[in-house]
Amino acid sequence: MSFTSKTDVLIVGAGPAGLATAWWLARCGINARVVDKRGSKVYKGQADGLMSRTIEILDSMGCGLSQRVSHESYLTYFMDIWTSEAGKLEKNQVVGASEGTHGSSPFRASTISQGRIERYIIDAIQDPSNLNPALPIDRGVQAETLQIDQAMTSEPDAYPVSVKLRYLSHEEANPSTGATSEAATSGLVGSNLMGESWESYATRNKGNEGKTEIVQAKYVLGCDGAHSWVRSQIGIKMEGSSTESVWGAMDVVPITDFPGIRRGCFIKSSAGGMLIIPRERGLSRVYVPYHEVNTDDESNKADRFDRSEVTLSKIKAIAQRMFHPYKFDFKICEWWSAYQVGQRVAERSQDATGRVLLAGDAVHTHSPKVGLGANTSIQDGWNLGWKLAMALAHEPSHTAKKESPAILATYEGERHPVAHMLIEYDRAWSKMFMGNTEHTSDEFLRRFMSFQPFIHGRSFKYPDGALISRQTSTQSVAKNVLVGESFPHAYVVLHANPQEWITTKIFRADGRFRIVLLPGDLSIPDQMSRAREFCERITTANGNEQSLLHTRYPYPFVKLSGVEVAEGQNPDSFIHYRRHPTSLIELITISYSTKPAQDVSVRFEDLPTAMRGQFDEQCFGWDYECAFLDARLETSCDGTAYERWGVDKQKGAVVVVRPDMHVGWVGDIEDVKELEGYFDNVLNSC
Amino acid sequence: MSFTSKTDVLIVGAGPAGLATAWWLARCGINARVVDKRGSKVYKGQADGLMSRTIEILDSMGCGLSQRVSHESYLTYFMDIWTSEAGKLEKNQVVGASEGTHGSSPFRASTISQGRIERYIIDAIQDPSNLNPALPIDRGVQAETLQIDQAMTSEPDAYPVSVKLRYLSHEEANPSTGATSEAATSGLVGSNLMGESWESYATRNKGNEGKTEIVQAKYVLGCDGAHSWVRSQIGIKMEGSSTESVWGAMDVVPITDFPGIRRGCFIKSSAGGMLIIPRERGLSRVYVPYHEVNTDDESNKADRFDRSEVTLSKIKAIAQRMFHPYKFDFKICEWWSAYQVGQRVAERSQDATGRVLLAGDAVHTHSPKVGLGANTSIQDGWNLGWKLAMALAHEPSHTAKKESPAILATYEGERHPVAHMLIEYDRAWSKMFMGNTEHTSDEFLRRFMSFQPFIHGRSFKYPDGALISRQTSTQSVAKNVLVGESFPHAYVVLHANPQEWITTKIFRADGRFRIVLLPGDLSIPDQMSRAREFCERITTANGNEQSLLHTRYPYPFVKLSGVEVAEGQNPDSFIHYRRHPTSLIELITISYSTKPAQDVSVRFEDLPTAMRGQFDEQCFGWDYECAFLDARLETSCDGTAYERWGVDKQKGAVVVVRPDMHVGWVGDIEDVKELEGYFDNVLNSC
Ligand SMILES: Cc1cc2nc3c(=O)[nH]c(=O)nc-3n(C[C@H](O)[C@H](O)[C@H](O)COP(=O)(O)OP(=O)(O)OC[C@H]3O[C@@H](n4cnc5c(N)ncnc54)[C@H](O)[C@@H]3O)c2cc1C
Ligand SMILES: Cc1cc2nc3c(=O)[nH]c(=O)nc-3n(C[C@H](O)[C@H](O)[C@H](O)COP(=O)(O)OP(=O)(O)OC[C@H]3O[C@@H](n4cnc5c(N)ncnc54)[C@H](O)[C@@H]3O)c2cc1C
């Protein structure tokens, strides 16, 4: 009735956080699996949007996800602020929905349901070009006990964490949502737009119902949401209880004469604020204030408010009141929900041994209206996944590590401050939201604006550590490419064949670090010789040492044995990656040109060989996709990337972009020693 | 052993022409099916690109295909012209690959293999929002006899064409390509990039091998390629035999020091011309001149040249000679082929009864290098499909038609001239291609340029007829929106929520005609009242007549009974269309604004109701996606659509866009009588 198994990484929870982490592990060929107690993925409702930074992440996965977003989602450039007073509803203000962040991303924040977002990442996990596309996602499987063998936690090759899984029956995995009764407590009620034929269980669950499995893992990740079971197993508490609010939310196709229903709207009234987010397929997400609960007094928390008393009609009635004097109705409600959330952050994101880590809602709970739940969860997983892959990729030459790898500790170090910022933002936002009209438009706006860069995934300011080195950087050479922040993406031109490429495509996520050389104009002999000198230095093996670029740090990820990708694969799938990298580091050159791209005199073939990628005589020849131009190209590129990055066109700069597209180091073209120091640090941390 | 069946339309051939036609029939809920004798779709090789006009078509299918193209394909903005003389290879010229057509399409011609293109259209056929997404595509099924019951051809509801189908065995449907021998005659040899696990047969074929089926059809389409079997059944000859050339073509990952291998290149030498097309996934398509055959003397045609003597090594050797003094090699060859084609056009595109029609290579054969085979075939199907759907959609109020509907005759009328132009172009191009260097660069360029608009799917100039009315048009009010040509697409701004929309998305292909009202600036009272007046006139029912816009011509397409779409559909599929249209005509308003989109004073809700789509009180409320602005919007729109279209901002204009996005009529805002006349004509032709 019970069986045992081993895996390097067990991820509990297949929501946005678990899936984003799993994507990296699949990409890098790590032995890992995901379990989720629910019988299906999310199809409807819940999170409703993607911030630009998250779309950048999806784009760098290289599977066409940003294109799917742009096809399926809806855009909102502007938000209208309305005030409802004395029976009148008036529009006071229009604000740019991404004002203050203009130009910070070539992608636009987009609204789309969580079900699609999960779909995108699941498809990306199964992309045949991954090193482990067969990474299992088992649904209807619940984690029930967790034990850590402390003695084993210092052995790198041991599997110190045991988790007991139980295979649920169909009924357990798909609890009745009381779809016939309007007062469904979970809010996961049936839709009248889509059928309820859930995605079938992963095959592995078939015939296993009721069985238990003991999984031994090197690492266990708690990506199991706000009520995280993993978190409670490792005894980590949530901090910062406060006033909790009860919200009603619904995805409806509105029938209304309210002017601006397809625009983003915030309606302020003495009863609180209502938020309207126009969505794909004619839907509107409507958030209404339902109730406020004070939970500071922990003892009577449970019985303060009975969530099951919320019904769709009640939510609708509140909305109708707030839309007055305009009519508001709907015949189609795809999803609705009522929930009660406070702003809380877990004390820590990992246990003392470093073998159990938390991500997503398991670390931070907050109200849904800020639209950051799924975004922050994906970004958590995005930060954690490649670090785990690096820590697990065996380097035979390394001596056995006794401590938990420092690279993993940077996860908490980098993401915990973000969780705190998220909660701070949500508090401010919620106050305005529930608050009445006494909050003036101006204050509202000021606050709203001050958080804009954060909402869009900017200003994260990861602290110095193994992967972020402000001390050895010279920030002034690339004023707007801030060390510790996400790279400011831009369009540039492929050198070998003038066509626009976005930098997220250049920095495609394959676990490699990029040295981005910005040498200025290579048709100027001086600048060409500085660039040549740089290439020389990073490709020359001095004495015993091997060349920084090509041989010192071999690409650590290998195809997971037993997983066949190329053979027998669907001949109709589109393959994205061809070469298996040989080095952990890739050199990307983006030179500058005052001339239009087609008139640039330096040809791709004239570039120093280091700039032309690794020549592969076995199969692929030169790599033509590592040299670029900041130049004008017909209507598609304006040649302003250097300007945007604050890089002097004579002086140039060098930037290190981490696998997650955060900037690790910035320096002068001559600062090769510091550059080498950065990578020594990184590798020592694994 | 034999069974019989009925279908409205039987399409023989599941290549680009058959699939594009089938898409319309699936979209419009027509009872139809496709059969193909080959056991699988195309995966590798053959056609290698999409012209901008074809991408516009894919985009208007509404399934995100243009986004898939932009993710998967490669771009080439420039072509290098090289001359090989006296052992030297020199670059003479760089030409814009779409020069002379600049701005004619927001999409860029893209290179991508035919296998992907077929995949896109097959996916679009199966899109759950279609009215008949279950339209069968049966493979391994060969059409073997065709009979027309002349007596029945004048009865609209009869099934006068009988076709005997034979279900092939696996071996017959997947003939050995001699993959082990390099000298495979068909050229469809195995690839070392992708496996050979062909898409499995359609379920319908299982267990049917060897059986025969008699299909009775209202219409049979011969989309069965250059050696069209249907064409020979109806006794239609190919005209214009001439010199035939034998070409070698290969898709390889080049290993070379040739500067510019990733750019489009044309190398001229005394041995003929070689063409290099950079492709997706690092591939290059290389076309080499192999041999010239004079087939004017029909009698000894067959034994003039033995195609099976061509081998990959021979093709490679020719390429190496032409690349000299540069090195050229490859380890990966995904596909190669050698073939012999003349430039020929079928005498006609239909038989005398009008019940059997031909499309694609069945009508025009030509050399592959012009990259127009698949494009023209898709455009043929695109022209034919909706007309067939219109002809078949039963209008109970109509009296039984005795003649073949005039709308179908416009297919031959519109596409046959295109076939002739294609062949003329191919002749010129082939001459230059096989010709030696005596053709000067200048002549080459002049010729090349003069055909550019045609290559990109422009200048088709469909003649006047039931669907094109130059006589009643006033072309001067929209100088660049030419009657009889494809609509010049542009980006405009959604009125209800400022965001950019491309007109291919607005004109999404659902079989409807669009009246595009270009009223100028609606904040100017005069222009608003002219627009109101126009709306009044097209929505008012005069006497017995019903309103042009809403009721006179009901949307003729209904969901095919027995095909369940909404119920039980994959809840993870993305639904594109929501409303079932009620009228065959949709009003699209694109007003002009000097102000940025966010500052436009006329709100969506202030527009005359006709401009706000059909109000659906059952479910959907107002349709927010039929009113647009030509206005500036941040960085994404520049508000120059009126300019581009040659429309005066005071005078305005009205344009009729057919379901296939060709312009049927152009006139003044006051020309409502002529507008009505246009639609009367259309409907009389069905
Ligand atoms: C009803 C609801 C409505 C929401 N509405 C909004 C909204 O309107 N806007 C918004 O921005 N966000 C909303 N959210 C929040 C958003 O969905 C989350 O922020 C986001 O999903 C967090 O991602 P995650 O991966 O951290 O956790 P989750 O998506 O919660 O995933 C956790 C997963 O872990 C699984 N799990 C838990 N315990 C176990 C166990 N012991 N064993 C196995 N599996 C387990 C769960 O089944 C779940 O699938 C809503 C969430 C819910 C639940
Ligand atoms: C080997 C080869 C190489 C090519 N290379 C190039 C190239 O390099 N560049 C380029 O632009 N174009 C190329 N082409 C041409 C391009 O593929 C065609 O222009 C395009 O496919 C035409 O589309 P179609 O739908 O008209 O016909 P096709 O794609 O030829 O489809 C016709 C279909 O009809 C089926 N069929 C035929 N007879 C019957 C029957 N009796 N019963 C049932 N089914 C039948 C066939 O199996 C076939 O699938 C090549 C074509 C071939 C065959």
Side-chain angles (χ1 to χ4, degrees), chain B residues 13 15-17 36-38 46 114 143 224 285 287 339 361 368 373 377:
Chain B
D36 196 299
K37 64 183 179 187
R38 288 193 50 214
Q46 303 200 200
Q114 182 165 337
D224 49 349
R285 165 68 58 95
Y287 290 104
Y339 40 81
D361 276 12
S377 299

Side-chain angles (χ1 to χ4, degrees), chain A residues 13 15-17 36-38 46 114 143 224 285 287 339 361 368 373 377:
Chain A
D36 196 301
K37 66 182 179 188
R38 290 192 48 211
Q46 303 199 201
Q114 181 165 336
D224 50 348
R285 164 68 56 94
Y287 290 104
Y339 39 81
D361 277 11
S377 299

Side-chain angles (χ1 to χ4, degrees), chain B residues 248-261:
Chain B
M250 52 187 174
D251 286 346
V252 300
V253 178
I255 303 181
T256 183
D257 57 356
F258 175 70
I261 187 72

Side-chain angles (χ1 to χ4, degrees), chain A residues 83-367:
Chain A
T83 314
S84 161
E85 238 166 336
K88 270 199 204 153
L89 193 52
E90 265 170 19
K91 183 153 114 181
N92 309 117
Q93 201 121 19
V94 179
V95 299
S98 57
E99 224 158 278
T101 57
H102 183 71
S104 77
S105 176
F107 296 104
R108 282 277 167 190
S110 303
T111 56
I112 182 90
S113 90
Q114 181 165 336
R116 297 309 298 162
I117 300 169
E118 294 189 2
R119 174 80 277 153
Y120 301 151
I121 307 178
I122 292 168
D123 287 349
I125 288 172
Q126 288 161 356
D127 189 276
S129 66
N130 287 339
L131 300 180
N132 180 17
L135 189 148
I137 303 170
D138 298 326
R139 302 191 188 272
V141 177
Q142 179 162 338
E144 294 201 325
T145 67
L146 183 149
Q147 263 150 5
I148 307 173
D149 184 334
Q150 297 290 343
M152 285 160 77
T153 54
S154 55
E155 289 169 47
D157 287 331
Y159 295 78
V161 197
S162 298
V163 173
K164 190 173 84 189
L165 302 178
R166 191 163 63 87
Y167 288 75
L168 307 180
S169 68
H170 186 80
E171 289 66 35
E172 284 176 294
N174 301 282
S176 158
T177 55
T180 47
S181 140
E182 221 197 17
T185 52
S186 75
L188 294 167
V189 297
S191 143
N192 45 3
L193 259 190
M194 285 189 191
E196 283 281 1
S197 61
W198 301 119
E199 190 177 75
S200 60
Y201 282 48
T203 36
R204 162 187 289 257
N205 206 20
K206 295 253 166 67
N208 281 333
E209 288 91 338
K211 288 193 186 160
T212 55
E213 177 182 359
I214 310 291
V215 184
Q216 293 181 314
K218 290 184 180 168
Y219 293 94
V220 169
L221 310 185
C223 300
D224 50 348
H227 304 287
S228 174
W229 169 87
V230 174
R231 189 180 64 213
S232 69
Q233 297 305 298
I234 54 174
I236 287 179
K237 291 215 178 62
M238 295 300 274
E239 291 177 334
S241 86
S242 75
T243 302
E244 289 199 349
S245 307
V246 180
W247 305 99
M250 53 187 176
D251 285 348
V252 301
V253 179
I255 303 181
T256 182
D257 57 356
F258 174 71
I261 186 72
R262 291 303 292 157
R263 300 166 62 102
C265 291
F266 178 67
I267 300 181
K268 296 192 297 168
S269 82
S270 54
M274 177 165 74
L275 192 63
I276 298 127
I277 308 287
R279 286 265 304 282
E280 76 279 10
R281 292 185 287 119
L283 292 171
S284 289
R285 164 68 56 94
V286 181
Y287 290 104
V288 303
Y290 199 87
H291 193 84
E292 201 151 338
V293 189
N294 192 316
T295 54
D296 282 343
D297 178 4
E298 284 284 326
S299 57
N300 64 349
K301 179 175 149 194
D303 37 39
R304 287 294 288 271
F305 184 77
D306 178 10
R307 221 176 55 170
S308 73
E309 76 167 37
V310 184
T311 63
L312 179 59
S313 342
K314 288 187 189 171
I315 295 175
K316 181 176 174 175
I318 298 173
Q320 284 174 327
R321 231 167 15 244
M322 296 190 69
F323 273 120
H324 180 82
Y326 296 102
K327 278 176 287 215
F328 174 80
D329 202 353
F330 53 82
K331 298 282 157 46
I332 291 174
C333 172
E334 182 162 293
W335 171 87
W336 69 271
S337 181
Y339 39 81
Q340 171 174 359
V341 215
Q343 291 94 19
R344 294 189 184 81
V345 183
E347 302 159 298
R348 299 215 41 190
S349 303
Q350 56 161 79
D351 77 330
T353 68
R355 294 300 192 139
V356 180
L357 300 110
L358 306 173
D361 277 11
V363 182
H364 34 74
T365 68
H366 53 94
S367 71

